[in-house]
Amino acid sequence: MESIFHEKQEGSLCAQHCLNNLLQGEYFTPVDLSSIAHQLDEEERMRMAEGGMGSEEYRTFLQQPSGNMDDSGFFSIQVISNALSVWGLELILFNSREYQSLMINPINEKAFICNYKEHWFTIRKLGQQWFNLNSLLTGPELISDTYLALFLAQLQQEGYSIFVIRGNLPECDAEQILGIMKVQQQQRPKLIGEDEAQSSSGMGRSSGQSSVLEAGPGVVEGVVDEDEEELRKALALSRQGMEVEDEEADLRRAIQLSMQGKALLGAVMSNMSMPKGGLVAKTTSSGQAPGSTTGGAPLSEKLSAEELRRRRQVYFDRQSQQLAQPTSPQQPTESIGSGKSGTEEDAQAKRSQ
């Protein structure tokens, strides 16, 4: 972390701090930026003079203060853009249709510049990690890849304008060092003067709570590691829920196919040809055939596979006995508790097959 260049806030020179933190060095001073602002003012004056130096618009323009800088040290986006053009860098509005149509993941960019009213700060990637280089903080703040997109979206909701940096940034020591090793931040940096404000108000906060990044009039809440962990847990639970739903859908389809198979079996067995001898299917007391549905379900569904095999074996055994004794008179065999003859019982068993 010590290798990262981080200018802290002095007065209202946040634009200078933003540029130097982006380029990782003392590249610009207030004098340099003021010179760029004066140059832009002169270019604007010359364009207004083309309409006539005696015109009302020209006189009004001369009476107005500069729109590129003020006495507090604020500099406009035009000044920052011209300063970056010296290094071959370009600013692209993050939420523009042109950029959003590219569908680029923020973690694949190099840096962002954020602005709300009169405050500027930089978010830059060093090595393989992202850092919030806000000059209002006591030091660089590590931002995980998971949190970067959420942080940018939160800034937009707070009213920040975000610009993507395109081009090759100058080489720096932090880039080389963090390209070899990754840093771990045990404690997030606080706002400059936050300890004094807490001690004076007597309302100190624990270090495990979210820190608030007060950037000018806007307020941005920094999410702590616990929030990031909860986000990962929520994503994991969502994936598990999808897997459970898929398994339940597969189970429902399997049950449905099984029921269709049973219904088909009942229909086939009810349409089987009659056994030799021309026996007529005997109807039940309700007028339905034994193979027809009773109470809305086929008889074959009510009989288990084991019961069907048992009845089939009984039928074959009786057929073998009849063939072995062809001359013996056929004696009716009463079924237990039914009062039906053996022939009728055999016919029912054959049809239930």
Side-chain angles (χ1 to χ4, degrees):
M1 295 295 286
E2 290 77 8
S3 64
I4 301 176
F5 181 86
H6 180 251
E7 273 190 2
K8 299 179 179 61
Q9 188 74 20
E10 292 183 5
S12 299
L13 299 175
C14 54
Q16 171 195 323
H17 306 320
C18 175
L19 289 170
N20 290 338
N21 289 339
L22 171 67
L23 302 174
Q24 285 294 288
E26 297 180 356
Y27 290 94
F28 291 100
T29 65
V31 176
D32 298 329
L33 299 180
S34 297
S35 176
I36 296 175
H38 286 306
Q39 182 180 355
L40 291 173
D41 289 342
E42 183 62 21
E43 292 176 358
E44 293 176 3
R45 187 193 67 79
M46 293 177 64
R47 285 194 297 269
M48 292 297 296
E50 293 176 357
M53 298 182 64
S55 64
E56 185 66 24
E57 291 81 4
Y58 182 75
R59 288 196 299 267
T60 302
F61 173 78
L62 294 178
Q63 294 175 1
Q64 292 178 351
S66 172
N68 295 300
M69 63 172 294
D70 59 22
D71 296 337
S72 66
F74 169 77
F75 295 97
S76 66
I77 180 63
Q78 289 80 8
V79 174
I80 293 179
S81 179
N82 280 31
L84 291 177
S85 65
V86 176
W87 294 92
L89 300 174
E90 181 184 2
L91 292 175
I92 300 177
L93 188 62
F94 178 71
N95 62 348
S96 64
R97 291 183 179 179
E98 186 178 334
Y99 179 78
Q100 291 297 326
S101 63
L102 300 177
M103 303 291 290
I104 300 177
N105 193 325
I107 63 175
N108 295 326
E109 297 291 355
K110 298 178 181 178
F112 300 93
I113 284 182
C114 308
N115 168 251
Y116 183 84
K117 294 187 177 180
E118 297 184 354
H119 184 69
W120 298 88
F121 73 94
T122 293
I123 302 173
R124 174 168 172 174
K125 187 176 186 179
L126 294 168
Q128 300 299 321
Q129 295 175 292
W130 283 90
F131 296 90
N132 177 11
L133 303 179
N134 196 330
S135 58
L136 293 175
L137 295 174
T138 56
E141 180 184 26
L142 179 63
I143 300 177
S144 67
D145 291 348
T146 306
Y147 180 49
L148 177 63
L150 180 63
F151 184 45
L152 294 175
Q154 187 177 5
L155 290 175
Q156 285 184 304
Q157 291 180 354
E158 293 292 335
Y160 274 80
S161 298
I162 303 176
F163 299 90
V164 183
I165 305 298
R166 286 297 177 84
N168 296 323
L169 293 165
E171 295 182 359
C172 61
D173 295 338
E175 180 73 25
Q176 296 178 358
I177 295 174
L178 296 178
I180 301 175
M181 63 183 68
K182 290 186 177 182
V183 299
Q184 294 182 354
Q185 193 168 40
Q186 302 298 330
Q187 186 175 5
R188 293 186 179 275
K190 297 181 179 180
L191 289 169
I192 296 175
E194 183 179 0
D195 291 335
E196 291 80 359
Q198 288 180 353
S199 60
S200 61
S201 62
M203 298 177 64
R205 299 179 182 180
S206 63
S207 60
Q209 293 178 338
S210 300
S211 61
V212 178
L213 307 180
E214 298 181 355
V219 177
V220 182
E221 294 184 0
V223 181
V224 295
D225 293 337
E226 288 80 0
D227 294 335
E228 185 180 335
E229 182 66 24
E230 291 297 329
L231 178 61
R232 286 195 293 266
K233 290 180 180 179
L235 293 174
L237 289 175
S238 176
R239 287 193 293 268
Q240 291 177 4
M242 293 175 63
E243 293 175 357
V244 171
E245 291 179 0
D246 293 340
E247 292 176 359
E248 291 179 352
D250 293 339
L251 180 59
R252 287 195 296 269
R253 286 194 293 269
I255 294 175
Q256 184 178 4
L257 291 174
S258 176
M259 296 301 296
Q260 291 176 356
K262 288 183 178 180
L264 180 61
L265 177 62
V268 172
M269 296 185 67
S270 64
N271 294 328
M272 287 178 62
S273 60
M274 300 297 296
K276 294 181 179 180
L279 293 177
V280 179
K282 187 174 182 178
T283 59
T284 62
S285 60
S286 62
Q288 294 177 329
S292 63
T293 58
T294 302
L299 180 62
S300 58
E301 273 190 55
K302 297 184 178 181
L303 295 178
S304 63
E306 184 65 29
E307 182 67 15
L308 290 174
R309 286 195 295 270
R310 186 187 66 80
R311 291 191 178 190
R312 189 184 301 112
Q313 185 64 37
V314 170
Y315 173 75
F316 288 145
D317 292 344
R318 287 177 179 174
Q319 289 290 100
S320 300
Q321 293 176 3
Q322 291 178 2
L323 293 175
Q325 301 175 356
T327 57
S328 61
Q330 183 177 358
Q331 297 294 331
T333 303
E334 304 242 337
S335 60
I336 299 175
S338 65
K340 297 180 181 179
S341 65
T343 305
E344 293 175 346
E345 181 71 14
D346 295 342
Q348 285 188 352
K350 179 66 175 180
R351 286 193 295 272
S352 65
Q353 296 177 14

